[in-house]
Amino acid sequence: MSVDGAAPGSGAKTAATLAFVESPVQLLNVLEWAYADALRAPGPDPAAPPGPPGRGDEPSPLPSLGRAADLTVVVLSPHDPMTRGQLRRMAELARDEGITVRWEDARGGAGAPLKTIGGLRGPLRRAARIVIGDPFSRYVQLLLTLTRAKDLVVVDDGTATMEFVSQLANGERLVRWHRRGSSRGARDMVFAPFSATARRKLTPGRKRRVEVFSSMPVEPPPGVTITANDFAWTRARFGPPRITRGTDLVGTSLVETGVVDLERYLEAVGSLAGAHGATRYFAHRRESAEKLSRVSHEVGLEIVRPDLPLELIARRGPIGHTIVSFPSTVVHTLPLALAGTEVKVAVYDVDPAWLTSDASPRAQGFLSGVTGTARDVHRLSSVPSPADPPEPSPADRREPSPADRPETSAMSARVPPAAVPPAAPGAPVTAS
């Protein structure tokens, strides 16, 4: 555990705002929220230090996130090595912006949760504002029971935000959309009182303010403030990207969650790659090494394991002129992150026949909603024949150049699938 040099009990000043994240996307969206919060602060602060230098010729964002000096981000590190790696890279970016990052090996053994919770009890009691990335997380729900903060903010953890807002509005208990059935196991019953308390804390009241900072199309429940996340920090900090003539496919963890059948998924990936001339496959951090190996060897795609969220990788480039994805978070976030560029984002629906027998009854409706509510994307209702390719873009009509090679961003890694460790058994998986 580290607090950027401040050890527990050292007397370091407790942050007025405490953020808890468990994934790279959550940390990215905390940075976006901090940037938006600084922008809406009343009046400029002439004494504020300048923002960190941009990378290369990229401009430095204004205002600096250093103005949010009262923000501490607590990383509740998961087991999964790919997620941990991306979180460490995101933590570096947060520190570059002047934000304090506290890394907790919250799952590093039988005694780790008690040690983590004990170390956070004081900061939780004193924090004036709490920011969370996953309201469905049992860890986060437990921590929420310890805070007195009257100002709570929920930032995106992908498309799950849509389900959270819906459940909050309908007074339902918080359950991830891909979980099958409504019965509760023994662990659910034991944890039920903490979950109920956390849900009450996330419900606005006379003395409690709740904000949802989201790029998802959500309707605000009564009393909840919805603030749009347009990825302004990402666009100010990175890019614009170099755009290649190729098409990139974006992977999803729907197979790993047990929602989609593996063979149907591989068949769809092969059809999309052939129809659109795709050469690269950007893997989701939760995809298994075995599945990626088959995508590589059977479909012939280059597997790219990004070391940062795809929104940042795409913004830095190089990136294909077309990005094709299944229903997932990126069909909502990439058009925002890539606003002002010529990159086109397309989404391909999940056929009901692909769903497994273990898929939640809510799965098809939820995935259709993810696709149907996506803005500024092209919806692919079917896969065109490779013999009848889509209309070429302006980039396709010009003469090729060395810059058109489908290189991989310096902030991502081309890794042979066999070298990619699989996710830890039993690790929670999302469809984002």
Side-chain angles (χ1 to χ4, degrees):
M1 181 190 72
S2 66
V3 197
D4 278 355
S10 66
K13 182 181 177 181
T14 301
T17 301
L18 205 57
F20 294 97
V21 300
E22 298 173 272
S23 78
V25 168
Q26 292 173 29
L27 183 43
L28 169 59
N29 287 315
V30 168
L31 293 181
E32 291 289 351
W33 170 82
Y35 185 73
D37 194 55
L39 283 174
R40 64 191 177 189
D45 181 4
R55 303 184 189 280
D57 295 329
E58 299 155 5
S60 177
L62 294 173
S64 166
L65 295 193
R67 292 174 60 184
D70 62 348
L71 170 62
T72 292
V73 175
V74 180
V75 178
L76 302 172
S77 178
H79 290 297
D80 172 50
M82 294 297 107
T83 303
R84 288 172 66 93
Q86 285 195 14
L87 272 168
R88 290 197 183 279
R89 291 286 292 110
M90 285 304 305
E92 292 174 10
L93 292 180
R95 291 186 178 104
D96 286 347
E97 299 293 339
I99 293 174
T100 300
V101 178
R102 172 169 176 159
W103 186 279
E104 294 280 352
D105 284 316
R107 297 170 174 84
L114 286 177
K115 182 179 179 181
T116 298
I117 293 169
L120 290 171
R121 186 182 298 272
L124 274 165
R125 293 286 187 182
R126 294 186 291 270
R129 179 165 52 183
I130 299 292
V131 181
I132 65 171
D134 183 6
F136 297 104
S137 165
R138 285 176 171 168
Y139 221 130
V140 168
Q141 289 178 0
L142 182 57
L143 291 171
L144 283 178
T145 65
L146 303 177
T147 182
R148 297 190 181 100
K150 300 301 182 182
D151 194 351
L152 289 95
V153 180
V154 178
V155 302
D156 276 335
D157 183 36
T159 52
T161 307
M162 299 165 67
E163 192 74 352
F164 163 69
V165 170
S166 173
Q167 292 175 10
L168 190 66
N170 295 328
E172 302 170 1
R173 67 187 183 97
L174 302 179
V175 181
R176 297 187 191 278
W177 68 269
H178 54 76
R179 288 188 59 180
R180 182 176 176 83
S182 58
S183 61
R184 302 193 196 188
R187 292 182 65 188
D188 292 312
M189 296 299 290
V190 170
F191 198 79
F194 300 103
S195 182
T197 299
R199 194 198 175 286
R200 286 196 298 272
K201 299 253 184 174
L202 290 167
T203 301
R206 186 168 57 88
K207 295 183 178 180
R208 183 182 301 112
R209 175 184 176 272
V210 177
E211 175 187 357
V212 175
F213 180 76
S214 178
S215 58
M216 301 294 119
V218 292
E219 291 294 328
V224 174
T225 300
I226 301 291
T227 304
N229 175 12
D230 62 359
F231 285 85
W233 176 79
T234 294
R235 288 183 284 108
R237 191 69 168 84
F238 302 105
R242 178 166 62 81
I243 302 171
T244 74
R245 299 176 67 242
T247 295
D248 294 324
L249 294 186
V250 177
T252 174
S253 62
L254 289 172
V255 171
E256 285 71 15
T257 54
V259 174
V260 168
D261 177 76
L262 172 61
E263 299 304 323
R264 294 297 188 106
Y265 180 81
L266 292 173
E267 180 182 342
V269 169
S271 297
L272 286 169
H276 295 277
T279 57
R280 297 192 299 178
Y281 180 97
F282 284 89
H284 187 280
R285 59 189 173 81
R286 293 292 194 184
E287 289 189 86
S288 70
E290 293 78 11
K291 186 179 82 175
L292 294 177
S293 179
R294 292 189 63 182
V295 171
S296 175
H297 295 117
E298 296 176 20
V299 183
L301 292 174
E302 175 192 349
I303 304 298
V304 181
R305 273 288 200 181
D307 68 350
L308 285 171
L310 188 57
E311 294 81 4
L312 299 184
I313 294 295
R315 185 68 194 179
R316 285 181 61 93
I319 193 69
H321 68 79
T322 300
I323 301 174
V324 179
S325 173
F326 295 97
S328 72
T329 301
V330 298
V331 303
H332 292 273
T333 59
L334 283 180
L336 296 171
L338 294 169
T341 73
E342 295 182 355
V343 177
K344 302 297 187 293
V345 179
V347 57
Y348 184 63
D349 283 315
V350 168
D351 192 304
W354 301 356
L355 301 181
T356 69
S357 59
D358 293 328
S360 165
R362 298 183 296 164
Q364 184 59 40
F366 181 82
L367 292 172
S368 295
V370 170
T371 301
T373 56
R375 301 177 292 265
D376 300 322
V377 300
H378 178 58
R379 189 167 183 175
L380 303 175
S381 57
S382 62
V383 178
S385 167
D388 185 23
E391 181 71 16
S393 72
D396 291 320
R397 298 189 182 100
R398 62 178 171 80
E399 290 298 317
S401 71
D404 291 323
R405 291 194 303 270
E407 301 170 20
T408 302
S409 166
M411 299 182 76
S412 62
R414 287 179 284 188
V415 183
V420 179
V429 182
T430 68
S432 59

